[in-house]
Amino acid sequence: MTRLLVRLFIKEGDKTGDPDVRQVYGVLSGGVGIACNLLLFLGKLVLGFVTGAISIVADAVNNLSDAGSSIITLLGFKMAGKPADHGHPYGHGRIEYLSALFISVAIILMGVELLKSSAERILNPAETSVSLVVFVILIASILVKLWMFLFNRKLGQRINSSAMEATALDSISDSLATLVVLIGMAINYFTGYDLDGYMGVIVAAFILITGIKSAKDSVQPLIGAPPDEGFVEKIHRIVMSHPEIRGMHELLIHDYGPAHADVSLHVEMSSQLDMVTAHEIITSIEDELKSQCHCDVTIHIDPVVEEKTKDQ
């Protein structure tokens, strides 16, 4: 299903380093998230009011917050894809990280509210009614959320997006939370014990744990996380593949958002090379890095004095 949606809505989907392609991935993820979560919200809200179950209503409101998160994801990718301008010479890529952080904060706030509502239900129990329709809808919701988890994780891995990974984590947390509600409804149906408030507390705990973990992952690149080891190794491999390069050091990578890196490094070259030849080699390496690593590159030459052989 994921491959089909990518083929239908994303042209040149393999060019994941292209900011325009990334933006379309974000729009697809956000659009699917909005549609699915709104449908789940409406279904669970009606079900919650009919049964009187606070845990189902809480789960419904959680889906509504997920729809809002999908809107933030969509807008975040749209804004992150804007080109550099006078006020933002390095582009707007970090907006994607901010959108992931906003999603995390929304998840945490929702978890707190649901925790309060569930605690109130424990203190003031109310009768709930359970039927087979409840089980069918909750099971369908779990399956939809599991698919959304796989969908967003796949897209997130393709374009290395923290926002999509946060959305994927939220989906798996939602499926677990709905499973808890389902278990509570099953206990009520078969034994008569009403654990609605307690199930709501567990749902809230799932949501809070997911939100806190997602927030931590979102903040890391904003405050300056170490560069990805694979990215560093790729740069080193490309630079050192040129026989004229004796060594490289002082590699600095500044992350201005996914596919918006600014790279600078020093390379060692023989002092016997004339300036024109050295410049052509460096230009070739810079073009290669820009093409394969999707980054802006500045390379400084450190001349290495080599002893001439007798033939020279």
Side-chain angles (χ1 to χ4, degrees):
M1 186 65 175
T2 300
R3 291 181 179 178
L4 177 61
L5 290 173
V6 170
R7 283 200 302 267
L8 289 175
F9 294 101
I10 304 177
K11 296 180 179 179
E12 300 181 318
D14 293 333
K15 297 182 178 180
T16 54
D18 187 328
D20 292 334
V21 175
R22 287 182 58 83
Q23 183 174 326
V24 180
Y25 269 100
V27 171
L28 176 61
S29 173
V32 169
I34 292 169
C36 291
N37 283 309
L38 282 179
L39 288 174
L40 290 174
F41 163 70
L42 292 173
K44 290 180 183 177
L45 186 65
V46 172
L47 190 66
F49 283 135
V50 170
T51 61
I54 186 65
S55 59
I56 296 179
V57 173
D59 209 18
V61 175
N62 183 37
N63 289 141
L64 181 61
S65 73
D66 292 339
S69 299
S70 296
I71 294 174
I72 293 174
T73 299
L74 193 153
L75 294 176
F77 272 93
K78 278 284 189 181
M79 296 178 67
K82 293 172 59 179
D85 53 36
H86 178 71
H88 307 87
Y90 296 101
H92 301 75
R94 285 182 176 172
I95 291 178
E96 187 176 329
Y97 297 147
L98 288 174
S99 68
L101 181 59
F102 288 147
I103 293 171
S104 304
V105 172
I107 293 171
I108 293 171
L109 292 176
M110 186 57 59
V112 172
E113 289 300 317
L114 296 182
L115 184 63
K116 290 163 59 179
S117 300
S118 300
E120 184 178 342
R121 174 56 63 92
I122 293 173
L123 296 175
N124 302 287
E127 184 179 352
T128 58
S129 60
V130 185
S131 66
L132 291 178
V133 176
V134 173
F135 295 109
V136 171
I137 294 178
L138 291 179
I139 291 172
S141 172
I142 292 172
L143 294 176
V144 170
K145 276 296 182 178
L146 286 175
W147 176 81
M148 290 179 67
F149 161 71
L150 295 172
F151 173 73
N152 283 292
R153 188 181 66 168
K154 183 68 173 179
L155 295 191
Q157 289 174 344
R158 280 195 176 192
I159 66 173
N160 189 28
S161 169
S162 59
M164 286 186 186
E165 290 175 3
T167 303
L169 282 175
D170 188 32
S171 295
I172 195 65
S173 175
D174 290 343
S175 65
L176 292 173
T178 305
L179 178 61
V180 169
V181 175
L182 180 64
I183 292 172
M185 294 296 105
I187 292 173
N188 189 350
Y189 184 79
F190 290 106
T191 69
Y193 289 105
D194 191 349
L195 302 177
D196 185 39
Y198 297 98
M199 295 299 104
V201 169
I202 296 175
V203 170
F206 271 120
I207 295 171
L208 286 171
I209 291 171
T210 300
I212 292 170
K213 184 181 184 305
S214 178
K216 181 180 177 181
D217 293 340
S218 303
V219 167
Q220 286 298 325
L222 290 172
I223 63 177
D228 179 71
E229 292 183 6
F231 187 61
V232 173
E233 291 174 1
K234 187 175 183 180
I235 291 174
H236 187 272
R237 184 174 63 254
I238 292 172
V239 173
M240 296 306 297
S241 67
H242 294 259
E244 300 86 358
I245 305 300
R246 301 291 187 263
M248 63 169 283
H249 57 278
E250 300 296 331
L251 174 62
L252 298 176
I253 300 175
H254 299 279
D255 184 0
Y256 294 101
H260 293 79
D262 187 76
V263 177
S264 64
L265 62 128
H266 290 217
V267 296
E268 299 171 0
M269 302 180 69
S270 173
S271 60
Q272 297 176 26
L273 288 172
D274 63 84
M275 291 183 62
V276 174
T277 302
H279 179 268
E280 290 176 349
I281 294 170
I282 293 302
T283 300
S284 174
I285 296 173
E286 288 178 341
D287 290 341
E288 195 173 346
L289 287 171
K290 289 178 183 178
S291 174
Q292 296 190 31
C293 299
H294 306 287
C295 59
D296 293 320
V297 187
T298 302
I299 299 179
H300 175 80
I301 300 175
D302 288 338
V304 177
V305 178
E306 297 177 337
E307 294 184 4
K308 293 185 178 181
T309 62
K310 293 181 179 180
D311 293 338
Q312 293 176 307

